[in-house]
């Protein structure tokens, strides 16, 4: 497995790599990738950090785990590789809300690398998955690691926008210092939640940009 993590994150997270849970997690992930088909590919497991260095983080969006479909996952929550059509249902609802909220037209591909490169950390709680088996790598240690990412971002930075979508993401709220950061919560963009009225109209994208602008920071081109 060709696994790499961006230098600034490597420095911030250095203490985690020697902890027993992480050593055990690495053994589990290596074994899974050797014996099963897993996503994303090894070089993309830490893509959220690789595309958004620590000092550039302005927004954090929390997902659950990677898409378990072939060719979809590439290490950024909600994002799919550029060739994937049709877009996954949650991503369609995200783009619909952006269109309603900001007037920005539907994009022609579902890759969110363009967001990541502007400082949006697209972090799944669990960074790997078996093909066709959602949540198959839950409870193996990834959650401890990604919680540390949230904690360290909260502790060491200020004026970050945290977008917490759905129950799993909202449970991360206690890791974030609300005095230093801007937290927005709403339902998950999945059809189940969105169709019940828990997603559309949240205006998280314009609210995020209004906050960034108020702090003298460059807005996100969604």
């Amino acid at each position: 497995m060709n696994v790499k993590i961006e230098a600034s994150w490597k420095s911030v997270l250095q203490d985690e790599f020697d902890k027993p849970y992480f050593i055990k997690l690495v053994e589990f992930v290596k074994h899974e990738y050797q014996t099963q088909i897993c996503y994303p590919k090894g070089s993309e497991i830490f893509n959220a950090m690789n595309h958004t260095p620590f000092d550039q983080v302005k927004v954090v969006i929390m997902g659950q785990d990677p898409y378990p479909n072939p060719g979809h996952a590439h290490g950024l929550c909600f994002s799919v590789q550029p060739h994937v059509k049709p877009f996954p249902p949650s991503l369609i609802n995200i783009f619909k809300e952006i269109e309603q909220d900001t007037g920005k037209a539907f994009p022609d591909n579902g890759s969110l690398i363009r967001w990541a490169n502007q400082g949006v950390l697209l972090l799944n709680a669990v960074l790997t998955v078996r093909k066709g088996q959602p949540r198959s790598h839950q409870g193996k240690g990834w959650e401890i690691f990604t919680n540390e990412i949230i904690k360290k971002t909260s502790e060491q930075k200020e004026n970050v926008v945290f977008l917490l979508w759905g129950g799993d993401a909202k449970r991360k709220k206690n890791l974030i210092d609300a005095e230093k950061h801007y937290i927005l919560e709403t339902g998950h963009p999945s059809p189940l939640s969105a169709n019940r009225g828990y997603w559309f109209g949240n205006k998280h994208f314009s609210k995020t940009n209004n906050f960034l602008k108020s702090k003298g920071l460059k807005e996100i081109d969604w």
Side-chain angles (χ1 to χ4, degrees), residues 47-48 51-52 61-63 67 72 74-83 87-88 90-92 94-95 98 104 107-124 165 189 205 220-222:
N47 249 6
H51 282 287
T52 313
I61 299 178
M62 287 298 304
Y67 295 116
H72 280 214
H74 61 147
L76 306 172
C77 72
F78 296 107
S79 179
V80 288
Q81 296 186 47
H83 66 272
F87 302 155
S90 291
L91 189 57
I92 290 172
I94 289 169
F95 290 147
I98 290 171
K104 189 172 177 69
D108 59 3
N109 77 71
S111 170
L112 302 181
I113 285 176
R114 61 186 181 276
W115 294 5
N117 291 342
Q118 296 176 77
V120 182
L121 182 67
L122 295 160
L123 183 66
N124 275 315
W165 299 343
F205 304 96
I220 306 298
D221 179 7
W222 300 110

Side-chain angles (χ1 to χ4, degrees), residues 186-187 191-201:
T186 191
L192 185 67
S193 173
N195 294 340
R196 288 180 182 161
Y198 298 138
W199 168 256
F200 292 114

Side-chain angles (χ1 to χ4, degrees), residues 92-109:
I92 290 172
N93 286 340
I94 289 169
F95 290 147
K96 280 182 181 174
E97 176 60 24
I98 290 171
E99 196 168 38
Q100 289 173 17
D101 183 18
T102 70
K104 189 172 177 69
F106 232 73
D108 59 3
N109 77 71

